[in-house]
Amino acid sequence: MHLSSLPASSASSHPLAPYGWDADWEAEFAPYAEQGLLPGRVVRVDRGQCDVVTAVGTVRADTEFVVPRDPMKVVCTGDWVAVDPGGSDPRYVRTLLPRRTAFVRSTSSKRSDGQVLATNIDHVVVCTSLAVELDLGRVERFLALAWESGAQPVVVLSKADLVPDPVTLTHLVRDVETASPGVPVLTVSALHGEGLDTLGALVGAGTTVLLGQSGAGKSTLANALVGEDVMDVQAARDVDGKGRHTTTTRNLLPLPGGGVLIDTPGLRGVGLFDAETGVGQVFAEIEGLAGECRFHDCAHDSEPGCAVMAAVENGRLPARRLDSYRKLVRENQWIVAKTDARVRAELRRDWKRKGAEGRAAMEAKRGRLR
């Protein structure tokens, strides 16, 4: 019996089980097994080819037959694929299995295109360095995309050894927790091994993608979790704490305690991409308060009976959170409107209505001053 046609009950003993293969993937792959193709998981992609781990080892395969016009369907690290069996030269990826989850951002060009960074993931670890000033808005942005991906977000505050004062560290953690409702926030020092056991236990099953800016310590963290120096590491610049992009491709790495890790290059831009649900989860307290506003379409600006503004005024909601919420909502609407004519029309009507209301308010104010 060929390894690719094992019964579903034996999926747990399949050679690809450590990479996430299970009975559902087995069933999804069945039609391709009948064609004699091999199942595999993409561990690296570069220059029109990819490395695919299969039951008979890691093979190099060409992606020529799976190059779509839609950039959202391009082969990505984490994909499960069907590849030619041994003896084929060259070897090709013949198809991609449907993705369960995917982390997607908008392209840095600010167009409406999406870029898939990792697929079939269970955890998204947002790595933020304590060597530089915390950017809570950036954390919220990462988390919005993480929630939208369908995976469970985790925030890791790396290089915790650079904050020796426990009181200061506690305040930093609380600030991040406020910006990350429902998300575990861990402090980690890869240098001293602190927090690694907790993180390892949290992501020890399934697939985890490691995301963050250059210099956040992702490659160092990846080496610590894998247990060997599999990723090159360079020191961050002293002047601004930024790294030098030592990781240039997305790599899928098996973890010794179970599960796999996808390490990624540092991200400069993290544009939202159709992340309305994710933004709502990051700002769950604002969404909850919005339900108490007098008007269902309240913009949380100057409307009477606004529960959100009332929470800001009485100190229950930090003004910074509301500002960040507004910014991400506007950005997400802009991205969606680029590809959805109905949304564009709704936004135009909303802008016109608000403009008319603003002009009416100014006229009323002038009338009172006369």
Side-chain angles (χ1 to χ4, degrees), residues 125-127 208-212 217-219 221-222 225 261-264:
V125 172
V126 178
C127 191
T208 298
V209 61
L210 194 56
L211 298 167
K218 298 187 304 301
S219 294
L221 190 57
L225 289 171
L261 179 71
I262 299 176
D263 190 24
T264 63

Side-chain angles (χ1 to χ4, degrees), residues 92-112:
Y92 290 99
V93 173
R94 295 295 174 175
T95 192
L96 274 67
L97 299 189
R99 295 162 175 166
R100 294 178 181 174
T101 58
F103 187 97
V104 184
R105 67 167 178 174
S106 66
T107 54
S108 57
S109 63
K110 293 289 185 179
R111 297 195 306 266
S112 56

Side-chain angles (χ1 to χ4, degrees), residues 80-309:
W80 285 97
V81 299
V83 297
D84 289 328
S88 303
D89 186 24
R91 212 163 191 162
Y92 290 99
V93 173
R94 295 295 174 175
T95 192
L96 274 67
L97 299 189
R99 295 162 175 166
R100 294 178 181 174
T101 58
F103 187 97
V104 184
R105 67 167 178 174
S106 66
T107 54
S108 57
S109 63
K110 293 289 185 179
R111 297 195 306 266
S112 56
D113 297 333
Q115 180 189 21
V116 183
L117 299 185
T119 63
N120 300 312
I121 49 177
D122 300 288
H123 304 95
V124 175
V125 172
V126 178
C127 191
T128 301
S129 172
L130 289 175
V132 295
E133 184 177 355
L134 281 176
D135 185 344
L136 297 178
R138 190 175 183 85
V139 171
E140 290 161 343
R141 180 179 293 273
F142 267 108
L143 291 177
L145 293 173
W147 281 121
E148 195 69 33
S149 75
Q152 168 65 52
V154 180
V155 176
V156 165
L157 301 179
S158 63
K159 306 183 183 182
D161 50 283
L162 298 180
V163 187
D165 179 21
V167 175
T168 300
L169 185 59
T170 297
H171 285 311
L172 291 172
V173 171
R174 285 177 180 170
D175 285 345
V176 176
E177 287 176 339
T178 299
S180 315
V183 176
V185 178
L186 309 177
T187 55
V188 171
S189 169
L191 180 65
H192 297 151
E194 297 171 359
L196 291 175
D197 289 344
T198 303
L199 178 60
L202 196 63
V203 303
T207 300
T208 298
V209 61
L210 194 56
L211 298 167
Q213 287 181 289
S214 294
K218 298 187 304 301
S219 294
T220 301
L221 190 57
N223 288 339
L225 289 171
V226 174
E228 57 181 294
D229 291 341
V230 291
M231 305 303 299
D232 292 333
V233 176
Q234 292 185 23
R237 298 193 299 250
D238 291 335
V239 65
D240 56 10
K242 293 183 179 179
R244 298 178 174 85
H245 292 286
T246 52
T247 302
T248 57
T249 59
R250 295 185 284 277
N251 303 277
L252 189 146
L253 311 165
L255 298 174
V260 292
L261 179 71
I262 299 176
D263 190 24
T264 63
L267 298 176
R268 289 193 181 95
V270 197
L272 296 189
F273 185 81
D274 197 4
E276 180 180 357
T277 300
V279 171
Q281 287 184 268
V282 174
F283 298 94
E285 79 278 34
I286 295 179
E287 298 267 306
L289 287 167
E292 303 173 15
C293 293
R294 182 182 302 176
F295 304 108
H296 75 278
D297 60 347
C298 183
H300 319 308
D301 188 5
S302 57
E303 296 87 347
C306 176
V308 175
M309 289 302 299

Side-chain angles (χ1 to χ4, degrees), residues 340-347 349:
D340 192 319
R342 180 184 58 81
V343 173
R344 284 199 300 274
E346 289 178 354
L347 284 177
R349 286 195 295 269

